[in-house]
């Protein structure tokens, strides 16, 4: 089986989508290539997201807040799966993705929206990270080669209900 390109989308591409990209990159082995982008990128990755990724021993090299436009051009990698991870991105009109990838919405509360102490913010990022990790692990566990396209589509969407 060839690797599957997975794009995680959020509005700002600063927290949830970046953590999802990092997790799938670290856990997906040679089956997945992960990417992340935003409809209105913030221009920087949230430091609490980078901290959470580094605490698990994952590399943060190359992570940046980028536009989904980078993945909608002719020479961009063709995506097999596109997953929105925040409600704002789910309701926006997405570009037409070359290759007609499977799409799903896996909504997560925005940890970057939490106000208060650094401890409260870290707790919110830890919670979001655990939820993302559970869904990424479910994606990795799918018996991709044993499923037809309809079952793949349904399985990816149902992961959003976990």
């Amino acid at each position: 089986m060839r690797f599957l390109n997975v794009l995680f989308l959020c509005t700002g591409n600063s927290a949830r989508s970046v953590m999802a990209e990092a997790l799938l990159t670290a856990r997906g082995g040679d089956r997945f290539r992960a990417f992340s982008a935003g409809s209105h990128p913030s221009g920087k990755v949230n430091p609490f997201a980078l901290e959470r990724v580094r605490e698990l021993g994952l590399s943060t090299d190359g992570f940046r807040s980028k536009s989904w436009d980078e993945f909608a051009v002719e020479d961009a990698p063709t995506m097999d799966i596109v997953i929105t991870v925040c409600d704002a991105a789910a309701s926006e009109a997405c570009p037409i993705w070359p290759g007609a990838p499977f799409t799903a919405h896996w909504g997560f509360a925005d940890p970057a929206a939490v106000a208060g102490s650094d401890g409260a913010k870290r707790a919110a990022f830890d919670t979001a990270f655990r939820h993302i990790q559970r869904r990424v692990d479910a994606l990795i566990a799918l018996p991709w080669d044993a499923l037809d396209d309809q079952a793949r589509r349904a399985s990816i969407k149902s992961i959003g209900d976990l």
Side-chain angles (χ1 to χ4, degrees):
M1 180 181 109
R2 70 171 183 82
F3 60 84
L4 298 170
N5 286 329
V6 180
L7 177 60
F8 293 99
L9 296 177
C10 204
T11 303
N13 188 223
S14 68
R16 292 164 286 187
S17 54
V18 171
M19 292 189 296
E21 176 187 3
L23 276 163
L24 187 57
T25 296
R27 294 172 167 251
D30 60 357
R31 289 184 55 214
F32 296 93
R33 278 195 345 194
F35 304 89
S36 69
S39 58
H40 297 88
S42 68
K44 65 177 186 163
V45 177
N46 187 294
F48 290 104
L50 292 175
E51 179 181 282
R52 186 65 184 102
V53 170
R54 279 193 297 267
E55 285 174 358
L56 293 178
L58 303 177
S59 173
T60 58
D61 291 347
F63 283 101
R64 62 186 176 84
S65 176
K66 57 201 160 297
S67 173
W68 63 14
D69 292 340
E70 291 184 27
F71 298 96
V73 296
E74 188 173 314
D75 61 344
T78 299
M79 295 300 146
D80 298 292
I81 304 168
V82 177
I83 300 168
T84 55
V85 295
C86 63
D87 291 335
S91 65
E92 293 182 19
C94 291
I96 302 299
W97 301 107
F102 298 106
T103 59
H105 176 66
W106 298 354
F108 301 101
D110 186 1
V114 171
S117 69
D118 284 355
K121 292 175 184 177
R122 282 187 181 94
F125 274 85
D126 288 347
T127 298
F129 195 86
R130 280 193 311 277
H131 290 299
I132 294 167
Q133 183 174 339
R134 194 168 86 214
R135 291 181 186 173
V136 164
D137 287 347
L139 176 65
I140 292 167
L142 286 177
W144 194 261
D145 290 334
L147 302 173
D148 64 20
D149 281 354
Q150 184 177 356
R152 289 172 180 166
R153 183 170 279 103
S155 295
I156 294 165
K157 287 185 181 213
S158 72
I159 291 170
D161 296 331
L162 293 178

